[in-house]
Amino acid sequence: MKTQETSSRHFIGIDLGTTNCALASLPQNETAEKPEPFQISQIIDQGMQAPRKTLPSFEYIPTEAEAENHVYQLAWDATPELIAGEWARKQGEKLPGRLISSAKSWLSTSSGKLKNLPLTAPADVPKYSAVEASSCLLTHLKQEWNLAHPQEPLEQEELILTVPASFDAVARDLTLEAAKMAGLPQVVLLEEPVAAFYAWISHTPDWRKEVSVGDVVLVCDIGGGTTDFSLIAVEEVKGELQLTRIAVGNHILLGGDNMDLALARTIQLKFEKEGKTINQSQWLSLAHSCRHAKEKLLGDASLAEVPVVLPGRGSQLMGGTLQTRLTRKEMMEVLLEGFFAPCSASDIPQEPRKTGLRTVGLNYASDPAILKHLAHFLRESLRQIAPDHSLNSKLEGKSFVHPSVILFNGGVTHATAFCERIQNVLNQWLKEEGSPEIKVLKATDPDLAVALGAAYYGQARSGKGVRVRSATTFAYYLGVESSLPAIPGMPPVLNGLCVAPAGMEEGTALDIPGIEFGLVVGEMVEFPFYISRTRPEDQAGSLIEDARSSLEELAIIETTLSREETAQASGTVIPVTLRVVLTELGSLEIWCDAVDHNGNWKLEFHLRKEGE
């Protein structure tokens, strides 16, 4: 797939994280072996700015007095509506009704465009949508890069923006909308677990000695907001190692945020035993305080406990605060046994019945047991492997895909105890089915890996690096109605047009050659999609007669295509040609381009959720 035609000088990787954002770059005109992180300047205290390796994904809404007195000034904005980064997180912990956090997680909900953040904001505090909040973070990255590189503005560079592997089409579109709002209209989306694997490749010159043909790499990415699993197979093609992504997990809203809330509940119970209660505003502050305590304990093995301080509500409280301590033992009981409890390879995550009426909030995973989600993913992955894949012989009689190598990523995996628990439980599952213990790869800095890997991918997709490939296992078709005369008692003849042949690689594009079609605009129409598991020889543009009996129907998209660009009446048929893009995220985009160049229309179908 061709890269965007700009005067770009760098491949830029952007990690728009739930907890932290990061940016990395790789020059295009040099023989640089690996990408480097960009130091992000931000407010770290009132009146103080300094560069940091990451930008915390927290945004503070200044008070009217702070805005009027220009308390917060950035080099590119003297009166910012939102303050992002380290100081925003600190200040927001004191005033949680003015703090936006986890905006990325809200992109994956139906509320992504609603102005509802912060949820607990008082009536006089403006609210923002998840798209707006995400755009603010991207704007900060863009402006700081541009200050450091005035001759190489970020909007003109080749940008790779990462998202969770499990983000659906709506969440991806909202991510792209946030990028456009930030003045970054041309970005390529890439999955975070694959980006982490690219980072490992770029920082491991002898990576071919670390993995062998037949290996299956499990990328276990546990971040602040999501848990993502992916499987990458190591294969041999024409004497060379080839990396192929063979499975992607479902969307699991489960990560560091959930752990902070669990610790907050533990501390809340401590206060209640002392006869002290906390309100909702204090609860949010408590969650942030517990995050601080968790990070201190996990970052310093010599600490047995750390204080947790909470602003009080009344003068009867000494110093206006509540105070207790979080011990290492308490933390490990809550986190290790609550989120990483051992289970069997046959266990499944529990999905309790949901209450019909609930408060507005994120749709967190019902079961916090990460290892149960992993077991479920490895079992389901058996269905995602192509019938003719070389792995099938090794997996015969197995109840789940057996990974031989594991790569950890995400902020949660800073804690070695969590990684060791996952490794030990996996080894037990593998032993029970006769496979050797899993090998652990040395990971890149979890805070930077995704951004670093995304930058390296920019180079790889230009043909100058190693690609992790992923191709369609089967051929996909779009229903096309024949223009034959109507016959009483018979439905119109529907043929199947091959739009994605078996083996089409993600990140590539093709044109449907030599055929014009008539596209109906301005009224509700149907676009049936089909799959064939037995026609590997069909090429793009192949027309299969009688799709209803020859192919397997997957789904029908019902939509009304806008006719604003055509000034034609409803139901007008526009002559179009077709081009197809299979994105890096497994989304099949079918572009209908008007022959007279007066408009185009896009249909989108997510292949990984259908048939793969």
Side-chain angles (χ1 to χ4, degrees), residues 40-52 54-56 58 60 62 70-78 80 82-91 140 144:
I40 307 163
S41 181
Q42 57 199 277
I43 298 174
I44 62 169
D45 206 333
Q46 191 164 320
M48 295 179 58
Q49 296 191 37
R52 294 288 188 264
T54 62
L55 177 74
F58 296 82
Y60 171 73
H70 302 285
V71 172
Y72 306 112
Q73 296 189 43
L74 300 169
W76 37 273
D77 190 348
L82 294 172
I83 304 298
E86 186 175 314
W87 177 248
R89 181 176 62 189
K90 294 177 182 177
Q91 188 71 350
H140 189 109
E144 290 300 332

Side-chain angles (χ1 to χ4, degrees), residues 521 561-568 574 591-592 594 596-602:
V521 298
L561 299 177
S562 170
R563 56 189 176 90
E564 294 177 359
E565 299 178 73
T566 67
Q568 302 286 343
I574 306 295
W591 289 88
C592 306
D596 63 3
H597 306 292
N598 186 22
N600 55 30
W601 298 262
K602 182 180 77 168

